[in-house]
Amino acid sequence: MRIDILTLFPELLETPLRTSLLGRAVEDGLLTVAVTNPRDFAGGRHRTVDDEPYGGGAGMVMQCGPLFAAVESLRDRNSLRRIVLMSPRGRRLDQNLVRELAAEPDLVILCARYEGVDERVSRALVTDEVSIGDYVLSGGELPALVLVEAVSRMIPGVVGKWESVDTDSFYHGVLGPPQYTRPPEFRGMRVPEVLLGGNHAAIGRWRRMEALRATRERRPDLLENLTSEDMDLLAELEAERGRPNTDKEKSQ
Ligand code: SAH
């Protein structure tokens, strides 16, 4: 997969793109990430990319010219099918959107600064506006990295074991299960007994149950699209609620 990122601050992206899983994916050629600076496409002695908003008001607005020219310069390397603008006014990023974007052969991601971009960029250049949540950051670079990292995890080979992705929160619509590591007892707190034995079917069932328990407690809004198997497990959890001294309590 190829991702072209447009930013006025390429240095903000350097370390994250070189580090850990993302860095290795780039190094192994599973993912190509290229950074383009729209300032290189700005005219004039000062290479200006922004100007005051029409109608007045605080801040500056990124101009159409450099952004259109920068995107058009990618035509030979990128299909330009999906041109994503990071924006608090966009569709809120979730795993479904991550999966949808990861299925593309390539993406262009625009990072804005200041008060954002001229509306004609949104209307005529961009195909998708994506927000990483209902709060405002000072630029699109960190949101772009969030998107790139989430998308990269969907590319086979980026995460060493696919099982890690498969059991992640949201991958199958619910939160991930709790995890434990050595030692088996710490300050009187025991690791649940089932995890210490080698019964993989029992472990799998326990994990699914605990994933559903966490989802019911923290994010009941996610429980809408469950499989019938999960509905059965959830029904068991509901029954357990009425019973004192549950397995969970016994194992803690
Ligand atoms: N005045 C704008 C916010 C500008 S913030 C507004 O109210 O909509 C500057 C830039 O940072 C944005 O254009 C966008 O590229 C990026 N940005 C800020 N918050 C973001 C968020 N929650 N998700 C995605 N991008 C964001």
Side-chain angles (χ1 to χ4, degrees):
M1 182 177 203
R2 179 187 174 93
I3 302 180
D4 284 286
I5 306 180
L6 271 67
T7 170
L8 295 172
F9 298 97
E11 63 274 23
L12 268 176
L13 305 177
E14 279 166 16
T15 307
L17 291 174
R18 267 205 320 258
T19 310
S20 189
L21 290 190
L22 199 49
R24 189 147 3 107
V26 169
E27 203 171 290
D28 293 349
L30 297 170
L31 181 67
T32 301
V33 185
V35 180
T36 299
N37 190 337
R39 199 175 291 284
D40 297 338
F41 297 84
R45 200 154 56 89
H46 298 294
R47 297 207 167 274
T48 306
V49 292
D50 58 338
D51 207 337
E52 292 163 356
Y54 276 121
M60 299 294 270
V61 177
M62 289 180 73
Q63 294 174 287
C64 290
L67 290 173
F68 273 77
V71 169
E72 284 157 7
S73 78
L74 302 171
R75 203 183 281 123
D76 295 339
R77 288 168 277 161
N78 194 303
S79 70
L80 308 186
R81 269 165 48 92
R82 300 295 282 262
I83 302 173
V84 177
L85 171 67
M86 302 316 300
S87 159
R89 300 172 64 206
R91 172 174 164 193
R92 182 114 50 95
L93 186 63
D94 63 12
Q95 194 62 35
N96 287 333
L97 181 52
V98 166
R99 211 173 276 153
E100 186 185 318
L101 294 174
E104 295 289 337
D106 48 33
L107 297 173
V108 177
I109 304 178
L110 267 61
C111 311
R113 280 265 150 185
Y114 320 120
E115 290 302 314
V117 298
D118 186 303
E119 183 64 13
R120 290 165 290 186
V121 172
S122 305
R123 292 273 174 86
L125 184 63
V126 162
T127 61
D128 302 79
E129 286 193 38
V130 175
S131 164
I132 63 162
D134 292 347
Y135 43 83
V136 175
L137 300 167
S138 304
E141 290 76 16
L142 300 182
L145 286 169
V146 168
L147 178 60
V148 169
E149 186 156 310
V151 163
S152 74
R153 293 177 63 83
M154 296 295 104
I155 301 172
V158 170
V159 179
K161 289 189 180 151
W162 185 253
E163 195 196 340
S164 305
V165 173
D166 200 61
T167 55
D168 272 343
S169 292
F170 309 113
Y171 192 75
H172 289 292
V174 298
L175 301 181
Q179 303 279 8
Y180 295 85
T181 187
R182 275 186 279 271
E185 184 168 338
F186 179 74
R187 298 190 179 174
M189 295 176 284
R190 293 270 309 154
V191 172
E193 222 42 57
V194 61
L195 297 178
L196 303 174
N199 184 340
H200 292 288
I203 290 171
R205 192 172 180 286
W206 182 89
R207 288 195 166 139
R208 196 66 194 161
M209 195 78 149
E210 293 308 312
L212 286 166
R213 190 195 303 277
T215 308
R216 190 192 59 188
E217 279 168 18
R218 302 171 183 201
R219 294 291 306 275
D221 58 300
L222 295 175
L223 292 176
E224 275 166 21
N225 303 312
L226 291 184
T227 62
S228 63
E229 203 185 326
D230 284 340
M231 295 289 275
D232 291 346
L233 288 173
L234 197 63
E236 263 185 61
L237 275 181
E238 292 299 334
E240 193 187 89
R241 254 183 174 173
R243 261 189 330 227
N245 198 20
T246 61
D247 284 352
K248 194 184 179 198
E249 283 151 8
K250 262 187 272 165
S251 60
Q252 278 181 351

